[in-house]
Structures are given as structure tokens and as C-alpha cells.
Amino acid sequence: MGEISHDWIPDSDPAALIPRSASTSISQADPMGAIAARLGRGPFAALTLFVSINADLPAILSRARQLFPSCQVTGCTTGGEISAAGYDDDQIVAIAYPVSGFAAETVVIDPVDAIDSRVVIGQLQRARLSLQQRAGGFPHELGILLIDGLSGREEHVVASLAGGLGPVPTVGGSAGDGRRFENTLVFADGRIHQRTAILTLLRARAGFRTFSYDSTRPSQTRMVVTHADPAERAILRINDEPAAGEYARLLGRPTDSLGPHVFAVHPVLVRAGGRYHVRSIKAVRDDGALIFFGAVAEGMVLTLSDESDLTGHLREVMADLGRDERPGMILGFDCIFRRIDAEARQKTGEMSQILRDNHVAGFSTFGEQFGAMHVNQTFTGVAFYGADGAP
């Protein structure tokens, strides 16, 4: 899977100006050795790894430093991988940025609980200045942001970054741990972190396009949050009734039927900025509260989502991204609930085929970052177009 020619690609070739992707099973005797062989010759400015939570992560990172000693290696654990096979599990997916087309700087924000915005802005300014000095001839800037997916701090992180990034487009995902929702990890420079964010800043020679799509459609059913605990991302009461029970009643289901499949197929939406955004439900607490993957507040109006055409929508997304030029590679951050939704409707094979046909590599996330927003249940990412630039 993820096979790429081992031959050196000259700078004049458009393929030298887009990231390379490769994937392999964690059960391989030497998985990073397999990744290195499939990526082919470098050098690379940066290497990003999306790794199954079941992998021996310390051993993988140690081997990565041996094989890519001059390369910035970052990444995270996942809720599942998007490999050359489409939706996948127990894989390592690698994204490598050739020096012929990219320069990179890594910024580590640790911990995310006590961010000093002035310090973060200083880090970002120094990183961007370094990139300008080393790769000022590469006209495009991009940020790839990975965050501990159980930190509950994504909104705070992206808000803190906004002051230092200015116009730099930023996309990313929240790390996962399969479907355990217990322990998510990010890593940089061989060190494994929790409650941390990793930002890879890139300068690129060729064009790209960032995007964020969701397939949800609002229904006519609305509800009001009457008691919430924003710090815990918890809604305790909806329409002045216990939250889980009222949500279940509006769905016409018993409360004890609530779980990931119901949350994936029937998310709730919040209207902001002229459009609807998903607020994905993570779990039902013992006291009947609903715990979310995004920010909540009292007085918020929630709208139930109607069932959507996942595969039809994904085909439309790919057609839009390729309307003038087909991307050479797409880095995708795809919410875990989209995958669960596809499974519930027996659409996993079709979704995987579309991802495979369009050269998507990435992972299933516990949330997505797009610009200065933390979003849920979206397909977010960046399409790389090679020498001709973005449409």
C-alpha cells in the first residue's frame, strides 16, 4: 500500500512539489523500514506520522529518527487511518514533504491548559521568520495542527494561534485512540506528549487548497440548551429536561439506545456565521448529561440533523477539489463519526473507494481544525496541486 517509486524525482517534475504518502501495517517486523522504502529517496523537510494506538509508538519513533535523522518528525495517534486502501486500522500512515518543494518548522505548545498567548505569538513569529530566511522563494505558507483529542482545549489553541499566524491557512485534526476515548497522544522530536499541540509550519513552492466540508442537513427539530457546563463541554438540560432523555425523545428512541452509532447518524447542529456546524456528542454521562467534542453554552440553540448522503456528498467534494485540476495528493482529517456513520449505513467500502481513487491519506480524528475554528464531523484537509498551483 502507498507504493511510490524509489527513484529520485527531479525538481522539475511536479511530483517533487507535492507530499508523498506511504502506509504499512503495525504488524510488520520493521514498519518504519517499510515506510522508508515506500517513500523512496529524500531528503524530506518534514515527516508526519499517523499511528494506530495499538502500535509500539516509542519503538516507531526511535526507528524513525534512525531512518530520517535530518527530518522533523511529528504526528499523533488516531481514531483509525486513511491509507492507500481507504479507511483502515492498525496502520502507520506517513506524509513526507520533499525539500524540493517544502521547508518546515515545528512549534510545540505544551501544555495546552495554560497557554501564554504572548509566548505562542513569539514562537510563531520566530518560526515564520526562519522559514522566510530559508525558503523565501517558496511563496505559499501552510500550517498543519495536531492536538490531543481529549484535552478539550482545541478552541483555546486555535484562538491563541490566530494572532501569530495572521493569514496563514491552517488545517488539522485532534488525535484519537481508536474508539476508546481514554488516551490520545501527539509527538515531536522523538518525545510523546499529552495535553499538547504540535504545529508544523510549511513554506511550499507549489499551490494547494485548504477545505472543510460536512454532509449534514438541518431538520426542522430544534432545542434549547437550558443548563450547561462549558468547562466540561457538557450539556445537562435541554428544553429544561435532562439532556440525554430529551435528545432521545426527539429522536423517538429510548435513552438506553444512545451511543456512538446514534450520535454519528443524528448529530446536532449549531448555526453560526450564516451556516450550520456540527457539535458531535462524545458520550452520555451517568447523570444523563451529554458530553461533546466541541464548545457548548447555555442558551445555545441546537438543531437535529437529517440523515445525509455520505457517499454522494464525498463524490461532490472530490469533484469540487478537482474542478480545474486534479490534486496530486490530498491530506485528509476525517471525523471518526463520519466513519461510524458510514459503518452504520454499510457504506464503508464505497467511502474507501472514493478516498482511494482520489489519493487521500490521513486519519480519523476526534475533531478537526480549520483556520481559527475547531469543527466536528467534517472532512477537512488540504489538496496539493503540484507545479500548476491551486485552482
Side-chain angles (χ1 to χ4, degrees):
M1 294 183 290
E3 292 289 352
I4 297 177
S5 169
H6 294 195
D7 297 332
W8 172 250
I9 302 173
D11 289 0
S12 59
D13 191 319
L17 306 182
I18 61 173
R20 304 184 203 173
S21 64
S23 56
T24 194
S25 169
I26 63 172
S27 64
Q28 284 259 12
D30 181 11
M32 283 309 302
I35 289 287
R38 291 172 178 175
L39 288 173
R41 287 184 58 189
F44 301 114
L47 179 71
T48 305
L49 303 177
F50 306 129
V51 183
S52 166
I53 193 66
N54 299 319
D56 184 346
L57 189 55
I60 287 168
L61 296 183
S62 177
R63 183 69 168 136
R65 295 188 76 175
Q66 293 174 358
L67 293 167
F68 303 95
S70 61
C71 179
Q72 299 179 40
V73 179
T74 61
C76 66
T77 57
T78 78
E81 299 76 56
I82 303 174
S83 74
Y87 284 142
D88 215 338
D89 290 296
D90 289 334
Q91 301 287 307
I92 301 170
V93 174
I95 313 295
Y97 298 89
V99 296
S100 53
F102 299 91
E105 286 282 341
T106 301
V107 175
V108 178
I109 302 170
D110 179 23
V112 294
D113 304 276
I115 296 176
D116 185 328
S117 295
R118 292 172 298 178
V119 172
V120 170
I121 289 172
Q123 287 179 284
L124 296 173
Q125 290 174 337
R126 288 190 294 273
R128 292 184 67 194
L129 178 61
S130 174
L131 284 175
Q132 172 65 29
Q133 292 171 339
R134 292 188 290 113
F138 291 8
H140 307 288
E141 289 185 275
L142 175 67
I144 306 294
L145 180 62
L146 304 175
I147 307 178
D148 180 336
L150 296 179
S151 67
R153 300 290 287 175
E154 289 96 336
E155 290 91 355
H156 188 57
V157 171
V158 296
S160 298
L161 292 176
L165 287 176
V168 179
T170 303
V171 296
S174 300
D177 64 346
R179 301 182 190 182
R180 302 172 193 172
F181 305 111
E182 295 173 351
N183 185 40
T184 62
L185 306 170
V186 296
F187 49 85
D189 299 322
R191 297 184 61 187
I192 299 170
H193 302 266
Q194 289 181 293
R195 307 197 70 78
T196 298
I198 309 291
L199 177 69
T200 300
L201 284 171
L202 298 168
R203 291 293 293 248
R205 280 178 58 185
F208 54 80
R209 176 181 166 192
T210 59
F211 61 85
S212 185
Y213 298 94
D214 76 75
S215 62
T216 56
R217 297 183 298 113
S219 72
Q220 296 300 311
T221 303
R222 292 176 174 81
M223 62 199 95
V224 178
V225 177
T226 49
H227 188 193
D229 181 351
E232 297 295 325
R233 290 178 168 174
I235 292 179
L236 285 75
R237 297 183 74 83
I238 292 172
N239 298 338
D240 209 25
E241 298 289 340
E246 182 68 356
Y247 169 70
R249 183 189 70 80
L250 292 170
L251 289 176
R253 308 178 64 100
T255 304
D256 60 10
S257 73
L258 299 182
H261 284 85
V262 174
F263 302 150
V265 177
H266 301 285
V268 296
L269 312 176
V270 176
R271 188 170 176 82
R275 58 170 290 190
Y276 286 95
H277 304 273
V278 177
R279 283 292 183 271
S280 291
I281 303 171
K282 175 182 171 184
V284 178
R285 206 162 63 186
D286 290 343
D287 62 359
L290 293 174
I291 309 301
F292 285 73
F293 278 109
V296 297
E298 288 183 10
M300 181 180 283
V301 177
L302 305 176
T303 301
L304 278 181
S305 173
D306 280 335
E307 289 192 21
S308 59
D309 179 4
L310 276 174
T311 54
H313 179 263
L314 188 57
R315 289 191 183 95
E316 291 174 2
V317 165
M318 296 306 174
D320 182 49
L321 291 175
R323 65 179 181 264
D324 296 317
E325 177 187 354
R326 190 179 185 194
M329 183 265 175
I330 296 173
L331 173 59
F333 305 101
D334 190 61
C335 180
I336 182 64
F337 281 115
R338 285 171 52 85
R339 184 168 177 174
I340 293 172
D341 191 359
E343 292 171 357
R345 304 190 208 183
Q346 299 183 336
K347 298 288 186 180
T348 305
E350 290 181 64
M351 294 285 282
S352 289
Q353 183 69 52
I354 298 168
L355 295 168
R356 182 165 60 246
D357 289 346
N358 289 277
H359 311 296
V360 179
F363 74 101
S364 295
T365 71
F366 281 9
E368 304 79 60
Q369 331 317 329
F370 183 68
M373 296 179 62
H374 171 62
V375 291
N376 297 138
Q377 212 147 330
T378 71
F379 176 52
T380 292
V382 53
F384 294 92
Y385 290 89
D388 292 336

